[in-house]
Amino acid sequence: MSLDNTWFSEPVDATGTAFSLKLGERVHSEQTPFQKIEIFKTETFGWLMTIDGCTMVSTRDNFLYHEMMSHPALNSHPAPEHVVIVGGGDCGTLREVLKHPEVKTATQVEIDERVTRLSEQYFPELCVANNDPRATLFFGDGLAWMKDVAPASLDVIIIDSTDPVGPAEGLFGAKFYVDCLRALKPGGLLVQQSESPILHLPLITEMHKFMRQAGFAQTRLIHFPQTIYPSGWWSGSIAQKTAGPLAARLDEKAIEAMDCQFYNVDTHAAAFALPTFVKKAIAG
Ligand code: SAM
């Protein structure tokens, strides 16, 4: 079925797949120094932000990604006090991170301020924590920021970036992981959005290899649904600075207080339960 212009479609030649959403209209388009950002009004998913033609965030389903890119990692750390989000310009991950009372500082390092300004306009519900006294919104390249940050100063690093192309490409490489390792305190960990287990397994395997080459003691994968991303099945890769079991701070009352729509004690456990083909691929 060829789609007319009442549909937004993200065809991905490399994977032979596409995702489409029935449109209302395209309401904004701008070329920033880094990328092309568009905002669409869709018929069933609310607002949609795309970057260089790739779906980033929609009103209807962003909770899947923002909750799963923050809570499993934060609850796998014994005391996540100092957190950095690289990317995350829509501010949804920042909002989830700041639901954790243990967090003392949350710094968002986003290369393109226009992403945040447009999110404030079209996704204000994602920006409700931006004025939290613990939050710092820094606009700059995460690669450079991680080189300069004080060693052993961070507990958790969340890499919530675009796909490994353009400004985000270096965020998927061993050199960046060496800088992240140095920035983390003993016991620290990073979690990085690592694309689709069914479409991008070679990339995931390579990321885990680079993380271990950089000196991380252990890597794991979490997976979760994410409707608007290619295949609808997404992942996060966790790398631990020191070996050993992950903490599992799964206080049901504390989690309930976070008012999540997807994350809970059961989906936390399920995210770490890997299909055989994925387990084999990342075994290293
Ligand atoms: N959830 C989305 C995904 O998985 O594709 C990512 C959302 S967020 C909008 C991605 C952000 O990463 C973008 O705002 C982009 O500007 C930012 N970004 C890309 N490369 C970056 C870099 N080197 N440093 C900091 N931010 C970067």
Side-chain angles (χ1 to χ4, degrees):
M1 172 188 82
S2 70
L3 297 172
D4 59 30
N5 61 9
T6 58
W7 287 81
F8 163 82
S9 194
E10 179 188 345
V12 181
D13 291 340
T15 56
T17 60
F19 174 78
S20 302
L21 278 174
K22 189 110 177 65
L23 286 183
E25 55 178 319
R26 185 176 74 172
V27 296
H28 183 86
S29 174
E30 73 176 79
Q31 181 64 45
T32 78
F34 304 100
Q35 51 214 350
K36 183 176 183 181
I37 311 172
E38 294 174 284
I39 306 281
F40 299 87
K41 183 89 183 101
T42 71
E43 276 200 8
T44 58
F45 270 63
W47 295 111
L48 170 70
M49 177 191 286
T50 68
I51 290 182
D52 289 340
C54 299
T55 56
M56 284 295 125
V57 58
S58 86
T59 308
R60 182 171 179 183
D61 78 337
N62 72 75
F63 68 91
L64 294 165
Y65 176 87
H66 291 131
E67 291 178 16
M68 295 310 284
M69 281 300 296
S70 41
H71 305 307
L74 289 171
N75 285 339
S76 295
H77 188 288
E81 295 182 346
H82 302 289
V83 180
V84 165
I85 300 159
V86 176
D90 53 57
C91 303
T93 302
L94 179 66
R95 180 190 68 177
E96 295 305 314
V97 165
L98 290 166
K99 287 180 178 177
H100 291 252
E102 307 81 8
V103 171
K104 290 182 176 160
T105 65
T107 304
Q108 181 176 282
V109 183
E110 164 57 57
I111 200 167
D112 192 344
E113 183 170 357
R114 289 299 300 149
V115 174
T116 298
R117 299 307 168 219
L118 286 167
S119 189
E120 289 167 342
Q121 189 177 348
Y122 292 99
F123 300 93
E125 70 279 15
L126 301 185
C127 302
V128 291
N130 288 12
N131 296 320
D132 185 309
R134 297 171 292 167
T136 301
L137 273 65
F138 175 89
F139 295 107
D141 188 339
L143 290 165
W145 191 92
M146 203 58 75
K147 277 195 188 352
D148 297 338
V149 67
S153 58
L154 305 175
D155 296 302
V156 177
I157 298 169
I158 300 176
I159 307 160
D160 172 8
S161 77
T162 38
D163 302 331
V165 290
E169 191 172 2
L171 302 176
F172 291 76
K175 279 203 320 224
F176 177 64
Y177 295 146
V178 168
D179 291 337
C180 291
L181 188 76
R182 184 184 57 244
L184 286 168
K185 292 188 236 173
L189 56 87
L190 77 76
V191 58
Q192 180 169 20
Q193 77 87 357
S194 47
E195 309 282 315
S196 165
I198 192 75
L199 297 179
H200 305 111
L201 196 58
L203 168 74
I204 293 173
T205 306
E206 191 177 57
M207 286 171 68
H208 284 242
K209 190 180 78 181
F210 286 162
M211 288 169 174
R212 289 192 285 260
Q213 276 175 359
F216 281 95
Q218 215 162 332
T219 63
R220 300 167 192 264
L221 193 84
I222 57 172
H223 64 114
F224 48 91
Q226 174 51 54
T227 335
I228 65 168
Y229 291 170
S231 83
W233 184 22
W234 219 244
S235 74
S237 288
I238 292 177
Q240 295 167 243
K241 179 158 186 168
T242 31
L246 288 173
R249 292 185 306 109
L250 300 177
D251 174 333
E252 297 224 28
K253 285 258 169 293
I255 291 172
E256 254 166 56
M258 291 180 186
D259 191 26
C260 294
Q261 298 178 63
F262 184 85
Y263 182 73
N264 57 46
V265 176
D266 300 325
T267 53
H268 177 103
F272 284 93
L274 295 181
T276 308
F277 79 98
V278 176
K279 208 184 277 190
K280 282 182 181 162
I282 64 168

